[in-house]
Amino acid sequence: MKIVGFRELKPATDPNALLDLEAPDPVATGHDILVRVKAVSVNPVDTKVRSRAQPAEGEVRILGYDAAGVVEAVGEAVTLFSPGDEVFYAGAIHRPGSNAELHLVDERIVGKKPKTLDFAQAAAMPLTFITAWELLFHRLGVARDGGEGQSLVIIGGAGGVGSALIQLARKLTRLNVVASASRDETRQWVEGLGAHQVFDHGKPLADELKRLGLEEPAYIAVLTHSAQHFPQVSEAIALQGKIGIIEADGDLNIRPLQAKAASIHWEYMFARPQGTPDMIEQHNLLTEVSDLVDQGVLRTTLTQVVGKIRAADLLEAHRIVESARTIGKVALEGF
C-alpha cells in the first residue's frame, strides 16, 4: 500500500519532511477494522508530531489522525461494522496513522460517516468534534439542553475545535455562546456557526467581556495559546467557574483559582483510544454527530481541500495549519 511518512525531523519548508513510500498491507484482528482511506484532514497535532517525535533509527512514522473511508475487512471481535460500511474517525496517537491507503483502527473509536457528506467533508470532523464534545459534556459537565442563563466563552473560535464547540454549544445546550475572533473573516465565520456574541482575543479579556456584559462567565474554553491567556482567564472566570484547556504551550499558574474555587479541566481526545473502560464513548458520540449532520443540525467545518494524500500536498497542508491563521479545517482526498 502507499503511505506518507517521515524518518527524521524536518520543517515543513523542507520538501523531504514527508516522503511517499510503500508498506505491507495490514491485517485486521481483534477489535480492529481495516479501512480503505478516501480522505484525511490535518490538525495541529500532525504538525507537532512531525516536528518533535523522532522515529527510531531505520523506522518510518506514518502520520494522520482524522480519516474517512470504507471498511475493507474486520477482526474476529468486531461487532459494530462490516465490510463496505463508510466510516469516519480520529484514530490513536500511539498507532500508525491514516496517511495510508489502508489503515487499522479500533472499531470502538469509529463512527458511521454522515450520508450527506462526501469523504473530504467527513474527514474534517472527527478529531475536533470529539475534542469539543468531550470538553463540553464530559469534562466541563454541561448537561444536554442545559446551561440556561450561563455563558461559555471560547478563546479561539475560528479554529477547528472552536468551530465544532460553537455548534455543539449553540445547538445542544442553552448556553450563551461567546466566541473570539480577531479578523473580519473569522468574525463572520464564528457568527455563521452560531455564536451569540463575538469578542477580540487580541484585546484585554476583562475589557471585552465587560463590553459584552459578561464579566463573570461560568465556563471558559481556552483553545489556543493557553499560557498567554490563562492569567486573564483566571481573573475573569466566575466563582466556582470551570475552565477547559486542550493544549499546553507553557506553564500555567493555577493558584489564583483557589480563591474562586474554580476548576481547570484538561481535554485530550487521545486518552480514550489508549484503552480506557469507556473507550466506546467515542464511537457513540461520533455516531450521534453523524446523525445530527444528516438531520441538518451540525455541519462540516471543511474550508479547503488542499490536494491528494501524498507528501507534497500534505506538506502544503502542514504549512497552512502551522500558519495559525486557518479557519475551520483543511483536508486531502484520494491517492
Side-chain angles (χ1 to χ4, degrees):
M1 64 174 179
K2 295 178 181 178
I3 65 169
V4 180
F6 69 99
R7 293 192 176 98
E8 55 186 319
L9 307 184
K10 294 182 178 181
T13 51
D14 189 318
N16 294 314
L18 292 176
L19 304 169
D20 291 308
L21 302 166
E22 292 189 352
D25 292 354
V27 176
T29 60
H31 281 283
D32 279 351
I33 60 175
L34 181 65
V35 177
R36 184 164 293 278
V37 175
K38 300 293 186 180
V40 299
S41 181
V42 173
N43 296 279
V45 65
D46 295 71
T47 69
K48 292 172 183 177
V49 173
R50 189 210 74 243
S51 61
R52 301 175 187 175
Q54 175 64 51
E57 186 175 354
E59 290 187 359
V60 173
R61 177 149 189 175
I62 307 172
L63 288 176
Y65 304 101
D66 274 333
V70 179
V71 177
E72 187 103 341
V74 301
E76 66 278 3
V78 169
T79 61
L80 301 174
F81 300 99
S82 300
D85 288 346
E86 295 183 350
V87 296
F88 73 150
Y89 56 89
I93 201 164
H94 62 288
R95 302 187 65 180
S98 61
N99 294 341
E101 285 186 291
L102 294 169
H103 186 224
L104 289 176
V105 60
D106 193 298
E107 63 169 341
R108 292 167 290 186
I109 59 172
V110 177
K112 63 177 183 179
K113 183 184 79 67
K115 296 183 178 68
T116 54
L117 299 184
D118 63 29
F119 286 104
Q121 292 170 327
M125 297 187 68
L127 188 147
T128 52
F129 273 83
I130 292 171
T131 299
W133 188 291
E134 290 185 346
L135 179 62
L136 181 63
F137 297 120
H138 302 163
R139 312 304 178 211
L140 296 179
V142 177
R144 291 284 290 271
D145 205 35
E148 180 76 34
Q150 298 178 309
S151 292
L152 167 66
V153 173
I154 301 170
I155 298 176
V161 176
S163 298
L165 185 56
I166 290 170
Q167 293 186 66
L168 294 176
R170 178 61 191 267
K171 297 293 186 177
L172 304 182
T173 78
R174 296 181 182 272
L175 289 166
N176 179 50
V177 183
V178 187
S180 78
S182 59
R183 294 174 280 150
D184 287 343
E185 56 267 38
T186 53
R187 173 178 288 271
Q188 293 172 8
W189 175 257
V190 300
E191 288 177 340
L193 291 171
H196 292 101
Q197 296 172 290
V198 183
F199 69 99
D200 186 346
H201 55 246
K203 298 179 180 179
L205 180 60
D207 293 347
E208 286 292 275
L209 295 183
K210 184 176 182 179
R211 176 178 63 82
L212 297 174
L214 302 169
E215 295 182 55
E216 293 186 335
Y219 304 98
I220 302 179
V222 189
L223 307 181
T224 183
H225 300 300
S226 57
Q228 172 189 330
H229 293 294
F230 199 76
Q232 294 186 71
V233 167
S234 299
E235 181 180 350
I237 192 69
L239 295 172
Q240 300 186 118
K242 296 183 178 183
I243 301 168
I245 295 181
I246 64 170
E247 50 81 39
D249 60 345
D251 294 333
L252 306 180
N253 177 18
I254 66 173
R255 185 172 294 279
L257 301 181
Q258 179 184 3
K260 293 186 173 184
S263 53
I264 180 171
H265 302 261
W266 285 103
E267 162 54 19
Y268 184 59
M269 62 79 50
F270 290 121
R272 281 177 166 144
Q274 294 179 61
T276 62
D278 63 350
M279 182 177 180
I280 200 168
E281 284 299 318
Q282 291 197 352
H283 162 75
N284 294 337
L285 74 85
L286 280 177
T287 298
E288 189 163 3
V289 166
S290 180
D291 289 338
L292 290 167
V293 169
D294 288 340
Q295 294 166 19
V297 176
L298 302 176
R299 66 178 177 88
T300 182
T301 53
L302 177 67
T303 54
Q304 185 179 1
V305 177
V306 178
K308 294 185 178 297
I309 306 169
R310 56 191 177 194
D313 292 343
L314 274 164
L315 276 176
E316 175 60 20
H318 279 229
R319 288 190 287 269
I320 291 170
V321 171
E322 286 179 336
S323 74
R325 294 177 65 83
T326 310
I327 299 175
K329 293 292 297 294
V330 298
L332 303 98
E333 189 170 19
F335 284 85

